[in-house]
Amino acid sequence: MIRVLLVHDAGLLRSALADRLADEPDLEVSHAPWRTAPGLARSLAPDVCAVDLECADSYGIAPLGELRGRRKGAANGRLLVLASANRPGPLRRAVEAHAIGYVDKEGTPERLIAAIRQVARGERFVDYSLGLSFLKAAEMPLTRRELSVLSLAAEGASIADIASSLHLSNGTVRNYMAAITRKTGARNRVDAIRISQGEGWV
């Protein structure tokens, strides 16, 4: 039996998808929004965490790192993400969180089920439709921390809000914003956000 924790902030969609997965005789499914997922992952010790990369809290940044260490000997080894082909930024964060499964959200439940079984065996699964996004993610000029800062800024967070969310000083956040502006070739913070959104980085 494969124990699966499905993490998604859209309650209706999450419940429907969990019901579909539970129809499979070899899947034991629990589900939760991102807000309660880390605690549930620690208590359930699932074989696979299948998570949506979009998050309603934390200014839209899914806290993938908080799912680490959910089971001794399997830290970072059973993370499967539901990704959008036009969003290389979140995809890159998933790669850096050591996810081994990548399923296109435009795919079918059967595709997700196949991915869960493969990831549960410790095997990598990547939807072919995400190939171009992987290439774009590899070409992104921004670091993981810069992406986090930019994602928060794109959601309207102030310098102080960003500093509080990422446990940084205000000056450090300003330095990151300056680096982001320079690397994106933008004129200012607003222009950097516009360019990055156009590229699907945030």
mmCIF file of all heavy atoms in Angstrom, residues 1-5 26-28 41 44-50 70-71 74 77-80 100 116 119-122:
data_model
loop_
_atom_site.group_PDB
_atom_site.id
_atom_site.type_symbol
_atom_site.label_atom_id
_atom_site.label_comp_id
_atom_site.label_asym_id
_atom_site.label_seq_id
_atom_site.Cartn_x
_atom_site.Cartn_y
_atom_site.Cartn_z
ATOM 1 N N MET A 1 0.843 -1.193 0.000
ATOM 2 C CA MET A 1 0.000 0.000 0.000
ATOM 3 C C MET A 1 0.881 1.246 0.000
ATOM 4 O O MET A 1 1.820 1.339 0.788
ATOM 5 C CB MET A 1 -0.909 -0.006 1.229
ATOM 6 C CG MET A 1 -1.894 1.136 1.288
ATOM 7 S SD MET A 1 -3.176 1.068 0.014
ATOM 8 C CE MET A 1 -4.177 -0.294 0.638
ATOM 9 N N ILE A 2 0.579 2.188 -0.882
ATOM 10 C CA ILE A 2 1.334 3.435 -0.972
ATOM 11 C C ILE A 2 0.570 4.529 -0.229
ATOM 12 O O ILE A 2 -0.570 4.837 -0.573
ATOM 13 C CB ILE A 2 1.528 3.854 -2.447
ATOM 14 C CG1 ILE A 2 2.288 2.774 -3.219
ATOM 15 C CG2 ILE A 2 2.280 5.184 -2.522
ATOM 16 C CD1 ILE A 2 2.311 3.004 -4.722
ATOM 17 N N ARG A 3 1.193 5.089 0.774
ATOM 18 C CA ARG A 3 0.561 6.170 1.528
ATOM 19 C C ARG A 3 0.847 7.504 0.846
ATOM 20 O O ARG A 3 2.011 7.877 0.658
ATOM 21 C CB ARG A 3 1.083 6.195 2.965
ATOM 22 C CG ARG A 3 0.627 4.997 3.799
ATOM 23 C CD ARG A 3 1.377 4.929 5.093
ATOM 24 N NE ARG A 3 2.795 4.700 4.853
ATOM 25 C CZ ARG A 3 3.718 4.595 5.802
ATOM 26 N NH1 ARG A 3 3.365 4.730 7.068
ATOM 27 N NH2 ARG A 3 4.975 4.373 5.504
ATOM 28 N N VAL A 4 -0.212 8.199 0.483
ATOM 29 C CA VAL A 4 -0.086 9.441 -0.286
ATOM 30 C C VAL A 4 -0.677 10.601 0.512
ATOM 31 O O VAL A 4 -1.777 10.500 1.051
ATOM 32 C CB VAL A 4 -0.827 9.332 -1.641
ATOM 33 C CG1 VAL A 4 -0.706 10.641 -2.424
ATOM 34 C CG2 VAL A 4 -0.299 8.164 -2.453
ATOM 35 N N LEU A 5 0.058 11.705 0.559
ATOM 36 C CA LEU A 5 -0.484 12.946 1.100
ATOM 37 C C LEU A 5 -0.632 13.918 -0.068
ATOM 38 O O LEU A 5 0.362 14.295 -0.698
ATOM 39 C CB LEU A 5 0.434 13.539 2.165
ATOM 40 C CG LEU A 5 0.014 14.922 2.696
ATOM 41 C CD1 LEU A 5 -1.380 14.861 3.321
ATOM 42 C CD2 LEU A 5 1.036 15.459 3.690
ATOM 43 N N ASP A 26 -4.230 0.256 -4.371
ATOM 44 C CA ASP A 26 -2.909 0.283 -3.747
ATOM 45 C C ASP A 26 -2.541 1.653 -3.186
ATOM 46 O O ASP A 26 -1.408 1.865 -2.745
ATOM 47 C CB ASP A 26 -1.833 -0.163 -4.744
ATOM 48 C CG ASP A 26 -1.795 0.717 -5.991
ATOM 49 O OD1 ASP A 26 -2.822 1.350 -6.310
ATOM 50 O OD2 ASP A 26 -0.734 0.767 -6.654
ATOM 51 N N LEU A 27 -3.509 2.596 -3.183
ATOM 52 C CA LEU A 27 -3.227 3.939 -2.672
ATOM 53 C C LEU A 27 -4.060 4.233 -1.425
ATOM 54 O O LEU A 27 -5.283 4.076 -1.429
ATOM 55 C CB LEU A 27 -3.522 5.006 -3.738
ATOM 56 C CG LEU A 27 -2.770 4.909 -5.066
ATOM 57 C CD1 LEU A 27 -3.109 6.118 -5.940
ATOM 58 C CD2 LEU A 27 -1.261 4.798 -4.857
ATOM 59 N N GLU A 28 -3.394 4.663 -0.387
ATOM 60 C CA GLU A 28 -4.061 5.120 0.839
ATOM 61 C C GLU A 28 -3.860 6.633 0.898
ATOM 62 O O GLU A 28 -2.732 7.110 1.066
ATOM 63 C CB GLU A 28 -3.434 4.444 2.055
ATOM 64 C CG GLU A 28 -4.029 4.864 3.379
ATOM 65 C CD GLU A 28 -3.320 4.185 4.539
ATOM 66 O OE1 GLU A 28 -3.225 2.938 4.536
ATOM 67 O OE2 GLU A 28 -2.836 4.906 5.425
ATOM 68 N N ALA A 41 2.227 15.780 7.385
ATOM 69 C CA ALA A 41 3.279 14.952 6.786
ATOM 70 C C ALA A 41 4.141 14.320 7.867
ATOM 71 O O ALA A 41 4.542 13.154 7.765
ATOM 72 C CB ALA A 41 4.138 15.789 5.838
ATOM 73 N N LEU A 44 1.890 11.501 9.572
ATOM 74 C CA LEU A 44 1.485 10.371 8.729
ATOM 75 C C LEU A 44 2.656 9.618 8.111
ATOM 76 O O LEU A 44 2.514 8.445 7.764
ATOM 77 C CB LEU A 44 0.571 10.868 7.601
ATOM 78 C CG LEU A 44 -0.794 11.425 7.996
ATOM 79 C CD1 LEU A 44 -1.544 11.908 6.752
ATOM 80 C CD2 LEU A 44 -1.620 10.372 8.722
ATOM 81 N N ALA A 45 3.796 10.300 7.945
ATOM 82 C CA ALA A 45 4.950 9.696 7.264
ATOM 83 C C ALA A 45 4.542 9.061 5.936
ATOM 84 O O ALA A 45 4.709 7.857 5.738
ATOM 85 C CB ALA A 45 5.619 8.660 8.165
ATOM 86 N N PRO A 46 3.997 9.845 4.996
ATOM 87 C CA PRO A 46 3.551 9.273 3.720
ATOM 88 C C PRO A 46 4.722 8.809 2.868
ATOM 89 O O PRO A 46 5.850 9.285 3.018
ATOM 90 C CB PRO A 46 2.825 10.457 3.050
ATOM 91 C CG PRO A 46 3.489 11.660 3.623
ATOM 92 C CD PRO A 46 3.799 11.305 5.048
ATOM 93 N N ASP A 47 4.440 7.882 1.977
ATOM 94 C CA ASP A 47 5.456 7.432 1.021
ATOM 95 C C ASP A 47 5.677 8.484 -0.058
ATOM 96 O O ASP A 47 6.793 8.651 -0.554
ATOM 97 C CB ASP A 47 5.024 6.115 0.375
ATOM 98 C CG ASP A 47 4.859 5.011 1.393
ATOM 99 O OD1 ASP A 47 5.847 4.698 2.077
ATOM 100 O OD2 ASP A 47 3.735 4.467 1.513
ATOM 101 N N VAL A 48 4.589 9.173 -0.432
ATOM 102 C CA VAL A 48 4.659 10.206 -1.472
ATOM 103 C C VAL A 48 3.856 11.424 -1.026
ATOM 104 O O VAL A 48 2.708 11.294 -0.605
ATOM 105 C CB VAL A 48 4.096 9.707 -2.821
ATOM 106 C CG1 VAL A 48 4.119 10.829 -3.867
ATOM 107 C CG2 VAL A 48 4.879 8.497 -3.325
ATOM 108 N N CYS A 49 4.471 12.597 -1.118
ATOM 109 C CA CYS A 49 3.752 13.858 -0.956
ATOM 110 C C CYS A 49 3.530 14.424 -2.353
ATOM 111 O O CYS A 49 4.488 14.802 -3.029
ATOM 112 C CB CYS A 49 4.548 14.848 -0.114
ATOM 113 S SG CYS A 49 4.554 14.512 1.646
ATOM 114 N N ALA A 50 2.274 14.444 -2.792
ATOM 115 C CA ALA A 50 1.922 15.000 -4.107
ATOM 116 C C ALA A 50 1.383 16.403 -3.859
ATOM 117 O O ALA A 50 0.308 16.560 -3.275
ATOM 118 C CB ALA A 50 0.881 14.124 -4.794
ATOM 119 N N ARG A 70 10.251 14.206 6.509
ATOM 120 C CA ARG A 70 8.988 13.646 6.991
ATOM 121 C C ARG A 70 9.102 12.193 7.410
ATOM 122 O O ARG A 70 8.264 11.665 8.113
ATOM 123 C CB ARG A 70 7.908 13.779 5.915
ATOM 124 C CG ARG A 70 8.271 13.075 4.607
ATOM 125 C CD ARG A 70 7.289 13.446 3.505
ATOM 126 N NE ARG A 70 7.683 12.884 2.231
ATOM 127 C CZ ARG A 70 8.587 13.423 1.444
ATOM 128 N NH1 ARG A 70 9.201 14.529 1.783
ATOM 129 N NH2 ARG A 70 8.898 12.856 0.295
ATOM 130 N N ARG A 71 10.154 11.508 6.948
ATOM 131 C CA ARG A 71 10.344 10.109 7.341
ATOM 132 C C ARG A 71 11.833 9.804 7.330
ATOM 133 O O ARG A 71 12.532 10.166 6.387
ATOM 134 C CB ARG A 71 9.617 9.182 6.353
ATOM 135 C CG ARG A 71 9.569 7.754 6.822
ATOM 136 C CD ARG A 71 8.784 6.892 5.839
ATOM 137 N NE ARG A 71 9.416 6.889 4.539
ATOM 138 C CZ ARG A 71 9.031 6.104 3.548
ATOM 139 N NH1 ARG A 71 8.017 5.295 3.706
ATOM 140 N NH2 ARG A 71 9.652 6.139 2.381
ATOM 141 N N ALA A 74 14.126 9.109 4.222
ATOM 142 C CA ALA A 74 13.425 9.436 2.979
ATOM 143 C C ALA A 74 13.286 10.934 2.777
ATOM 144 O O ALA A 74 12.478 11.373 2.003
ATOM 145 C CB ALA A 74 12.030 8.785 2.988
ATOM 146 N N GLY A 77 13.072 12.596 -0.669
ATOM 147 C CA GLY A 77 13.120 11.538 -1.669
ATOM 148 C C GLY A 77 11.797 11.145 -2.267
ATOM 149 O O GLY A 77 11.756 10.357 -3.192
ATOM 150 N N ARG A 78 10.689 11.670 -1.733
ATOM 151 C CA ARG A 78 9.396 11.225 -2.221
ATOM 152 C C ARG A 78 8.470 12.417 -2.482
ATOM 153 O O ARG A 78 7.298 12.388 -2.195
ATOM 154 C CB ARG A 78 8.731 10.301 -1.184
ATOM 155 C CG ARG A 78 9.494 9.012 -0.911
ATOM 156 C CD ARG A 78 9.419 8.043 -2.085
ATOM 157 N NE ARG A 78 9.922 6.733 -1.729
ATOM 158 C CZ ARG A 78 11.186 6.361 -1.791
ATOM 159 N NH1 ARG A 78 12.099 7.231 -2.172
ATOM 160 N NH2 ARG A 78 11.550 5.144 -1.466
ATOM 161 N N LEU A 79 9.031 13.470 -3.030
ATOM 162 C CA LEU A 79 8.251 14.667 -3.304
ATOM 163 C C LEU A 79 7.857 14.698 -4.778
ATOM 164 O O LEU A 79 8.708 14.616 -5.665
ATOM 165 C CB LEU A 79 9.061 15.913 -2.946
ATOM 166 C CG LEU A 79 8.381 17.269 -3.153
ATOM 167 C CD1 LEU A 79 7.128 17.389 -2.294
ATOM 168 C CD2 LEU A 79 9.365 18.398 -2.826
ATOM 169 N N LEU A 80 6.557 14.809 -5.018
ATOM 170 C CA LEU A 80 6.010 14.885 -6.370
ATOM 171 C C LEU A 80 5.231 16.196 -6.474
ATOM 172 O O LEU A 80 4.428 16.509 -5.593
ATOM 173 C CB LEU A 80 5.089 13.693 -6.633
ATOM 174 C CG LEU A 80 4.429 13.557 -8.007
ATOM 175 C CD1 LEU A 80 4.084 12.088 -8.266
ATOM 176 C CD2 LEU A 80 3.160 14.385 -8.114
ATOM 177 N N ILE A 100 11.279 14.524 -7.058
ATOM 178 C CA ILE A 100 11.661 13.563 -8.099
ATOM 179 C C ILE A 100 10.500 13.257 -9.046
ATOM 180 O O ILE A 100 10.664 12.541 -10.022
ATOM 181 C CB ILE A 100 12.221 12.248 -7.506
ATOM 182 C CG1 ILE A 100 11.163 11.508 -6.685
ATOM 183 C CG2 ILE A 100 13.461 12.515 -6.689
ATOM 184 C CD1 ILE A 100 11.618 10.108 -6.269
ATOM 185 N N ILE A 116 2.688 8.712 -9.156
ATOM 186 C CA ILE A 116 2.761 8.369 -7.734
ATOM 187 C C ILE A 116 3.399 6.996 -7.544
ATOM 188 O O ILE A 116 4.272 6.807 -6.689
ATOM 189 C CB ILE A 116 1.351 8.413 -7.102
ATOM 190 C CG1 ILE A 116 0.876 9.868 -6.965
ATOM 191 C CG2 ILE A 116 1.353 7.717 -5.740
ATOM 192 C CD1 ILE A 116 -0.571 9.993 -6.559
ATOM 193 N N VAL A 119 7.186 7.260 -8.390
ATOM 194 C CA VAL A 119 7.921 7.994 -7.357
ATOM 195 C C VAL A 119 8.007 7.168 -6.075
ATOM 196 O O VAL A 119 9.029 7.187 -5.376
ATOM 197 C CB VAL A 119 7.248 9.360 -7.101
ATOM 198 C CG1 VAL A 119 7.794 10.017 -5.836
ATOM 199 C CG2 VAL A 119 7.451 10.278 -8.302
ATOM 200 N N ALA A 120 6.954 6.430 -5.742
ATOM 201 C CA ALA A 120 6.965 5.585 -4.547
ATOM 202 C C ALA A 120 8.074 4.533 -4.622
ATOM 203 O O ALA A 120 8.587 4.094 -3.584
ATOM 204 C CB ALA A 120 5.609 4.908 -4.368
ATOM 205 N N ARG A 121 8.438 4.142 -5.840
ATOM 206 C CA ARG A 121 9.539 3.191 -6.026
ATOM 207 C C ARG A 121 10.896 3.889 -5.999
ATOM 208 O O ARG A 121 11.935 3.242 -6.186
ATOM 209 C CB ARG A 121 9.368 2.439 -7.350
ATOM 210 C CG ARG A 121 8.133 1.558 -7.417
ATOM 211 C CD ARG A 121 8.204 0.613 -8.611
ATOM 212 N NE ARG A 121 8.234 1.313 -9.888
ATOM 213 C CZ ARG A 121 7.155 1.622 -10.608
ATOM 214 N NH1 ARG A 121 5.945 1.292 -10.164
ATOM 215 N NH2 ARG A 121 7.283 2.244 -11.763
ATOM 216 N N GLY A 122 10.884 5.211 -5.805
ATOM 217 C CA GLY A 122 12.130 5.964 -5.796
ATOM 218 C C GLY A 122 12.620 6.322 -7.172
ATOM 219 O O GLY A 122 13.780 6.719 -7.346
#
